[in-house]
Amino acid sequence: MAHLKKNTRGAVPGLAVHFERKTDHHTNKDIDVSKSYLNQVLMADGSDMVSRFNARLNDVYCMKRDDVKALATWIVTLPEEIAEAPYEQQSAFFEATMNFLNERYGQENAVAAVVHYDETTPHLHYAFVPVVFDDKKSRYKVSAKEVLTRHDLQTFHEDLDQDLKKVLPFYEQGILNNKTLPFENVAEIKKYNDQFNALKTELADVEENIRAKQAVLQITEQALSKNLFGKTVLKPDDLDRFKNVLATMKKATLQSQHETEELKQTLGQVKAQLADVQADYQNLKETHQVLQQRQREQQQLDYAMRDMLKNDYGVDKLSHTDVEARYVLYKLDNEELTQNKKVAQSWLKTLTTARADPDTKIAPTRLDRGIEQVKALINRIIELTRDLFKGPSL
């Protein structure tokens, strides 16, 4: 699920504080500072977001107005299907997403790419300056309107989904998953609902107009009727004029009826789309509630484990290397073995990294045993693959 926001240059310093975690005193109560060490800065060039933003603005033309949308930000949330996946796969998802955004909006325009693991759900903050080439003045300029067009927003999720499926072998279900709304945000849904109500009002006006014209036609036809003596009440010239008026009104009535039918069809389509949106919104709301409950339960378990480690074993904190290595060792101890060679190789790398870390809290003998188990597992996977391609003996 991805959300876009357009920002003025005045909002950049505040966004940078949030993206780059420049303070420990956050107004967002969902931020758990004890997990901030897991966050990833994907643009680690020694600079910071504000410096990159100012440098890019110096290279292009930007109107000197406070309301100019000089920065665009995408928030891409980790899909539910890989919420429980290993850290390496989650990290690969966010890196592939950043590469897609760099390709779509220009890597030279990117000013921030940060992954937050210390909030309710892992997500990527990607910020860039929306830049296009001005053919008339032969220069690059800032224009969010020309970069982030309606077509760009309508195709964004599908394009991102297809790109991720090409580069990530473990990514199958996709970010769409029948839950992605075809709108930029809640304000877009409200705008769509306002259009729906406007169409209803317009349809009512057309129908009232048709009824009024039908009433005039009825009066005209009565005026053209004959009297008791079989004589025409109107003179020939007046009759011709009435015939012309009648023909014009009939034509207008047919046109109004045609427009009414088109409006009814459009209204029906809008009703159907709005119903789908409301259903999707309800599904998302229920899914969000489930995720929040799962997060609360996970936090309770996390707090209990931290308390046990600190008060029972005297361990104030564990490095990320230790956490990943313990995860692999748990899999091995409980015989939850993978059949994927790449995953097994990532396990081996995790254990060897922990073994080389002098500050690890894991017993070296346990790590050595785990390394040997993973090596044996990789050899078995290779043998099974070789036998599979060899085929049955004749």
Side-chain angles (χ1 to χ4, degrees), residues 34 58-59 68 77 106 108 127 173 179 183 191 222 244 250 264 293 334 355:
S34 67
N58 289 334
D59 293 338
V68 173
T77 305
E108 68 278 5
Q173 188 174 349
K179 294 182 180 179
F183 301 102
K191 176 182 177 182
Q222 292 174 353
N244 290 334
K250 285 185 175 180
K264 284 181 177 179
Q293 179 61 29
N334 291 274
R355 184 65 177 84

Side-chain angles (χ1 to χ4, degrees), residues 12 36 53 79 92 128 140 144 166 176 200 214 216 232 258 275 287 307-308 334 347 351 391 394:
V12 174
S36 296
F53 174 76
F128 66 100
Y140 286 96
K166 292 179 182 177
L176 299 181
K200 287 176 63 177
Q214 286 175 339
V216 174
T232 302
H258 178 68
T287 301
D307 180 75
M308 180 182 68
N334 291 274
W347 287 5
L351 293 179
L394 298 178

Side-chain angles (χ1 to χ4, degrees), residues 133-384:
F133 186 75
D134 188 343
D135 293 325
K136 292 183 178 180
K137 298 187 178 181
S138 298
R139 65 184 180 187
Y140 286 96
K141 68 175 182 179
V142 176
S143 178
K145 180 180 180 180
E146 294 179 61
V147 174
L148 301 165
T149 61
R150 177 165 292 274
H151 175 74
D152 178 78
L153 299 180
Q154 289 174 339
T155 60
F156 180 87
H157 287 89
E158 179 66 27
D159 292 346
L160 174 58
D161 190 59
Q162 294 301 319
D163 185 79
L164 292 176
K165 286 179 179 177
K166 292 179 182 177
V167 299
L168 300 177
F170 58 85
Y171 179 83
E172 298 176 354
Q173 188 174 349
I175 60 170
L176 299 181
N177 193 23
N178 296 322
K179 294 182 180 179
T180 301
L181 297 178
F183 301 102
E184 182 178 331
N185 47 40
V186 176
E188 189 77 6
I189 297 177
K190 183 179 183 301
K191 176 182 177 182
Y192 206 87
N193 195 41
D194 292 342
Q195 293 176 351
F196 168 73
N197 292 328
L199 280 174
K200 287 176 63 177
T201 303
E202 185 176 352
L203 179 60
D205 292 341
V206 171
E207 290 175 341
E208 180 63 28
N209 187 29
I210 290 174
R211 286 193 291 271
K213 289 181 178 179
Q214 286 175 339
V216 174
L217 282 174
Q218 185 177 3
I219 295 172
T220 303
E221 289 173 349
Q222 292 174 353
L224 290 174
S225 62
K226 296 181 179 180
N227 61 14
L228 295 174
F229 302 98
K231 301 292 185 179
T232 302
V233 176
L234 300 177
K235 295 179 181 180
D237 291 343
D238 292 335
L239 180 60
D240 290 339
R241 284 196 295 273
F242 266 108
K243 286 181 177 180
N244 290 334
V245 171
L246 183 62
T248 302
M249 293 186 67
K250 285 185 175 180
K251 182 178 179 180
T253 300
L254 290 174
Q255 179 66 25
S256 296
Q257 290 174 341
H258 178 68
E259 292 173 352
T260 301
E261 288 301 320
E262 291 182 343
L263 282 172
K264 284 181 177 179
Q265 292 179 3
T266 302
L267 185 61
Q269 294 172 356
V270 171
K271 285 182 177 179
Q273 292 174 358
L274 187 59
D276 291 340
V277 169
Q278 290 171 338
D280 288 341
Y281 172 76
Q282 184 61 32
N283 290 335
L284 282 173
K285 184 177 179 181
E286 293 173 359
T287 301
H288 179 64
Q289 291 172 346
V290 172
L291 289 175
Q292 281 186 322
Q293 179 61 29
R294 185 187 301 171
Q295 178 68 17
R296 285 192 291 269
E297 294 172 355
Q298 187 64 36
Q299 284 181 341
Q300 291 173 355
L301 178 61
D302 183 62
Y303 294 150
M305 293 299 295
R306 289 176 185 275
D307 180 75
M308 180 182 68
L309 289 172
K310 182 177 180 180
N311 296 302
D312 296 344
Y313 298 99
V315 178
D316 291 330
K317 64 179 180 178
L318 286 176
S319 67
H320 179 65
T321 302
D322 265 23
V323 172
E324 292 296 308
R326 290 177 187 275
Y327 170 81
V328 174
L329 292 172
Y330 175 83
K331 291 283 188 181
L332 295 172
D333 292 343
N334 291 274
E335 297 185 354
E336 297 179 11
L337 306 180
T338 181
Q339 297 181 358
N340 187 304
K341 181 182 175 182
K342 288 185 177 180
V343 174
Q345 289 174 335
S346 71
W347 287 5
L348 181 60
K349 181 180 179 182
T350 298
L351 293 179
T352 52
T353 300
R355 184 65 177 84
D357 185 359
D359 297 326
T360 183
K361 305 294 184 182
I362 306 173
T365 55
R366 189 183 180 196
L367 286 170
D368 290 338
R369 185 172 65 255
I371 290 172
E372 293 304 318
Q373 287 178 279
V374 175
K375 287 181 178 179
L377 174 62
I378 293 174
N379 289 333
R380 287 202 301 273
I381 294 174
I382 294 173
E383 291 175 0
L384 288 173

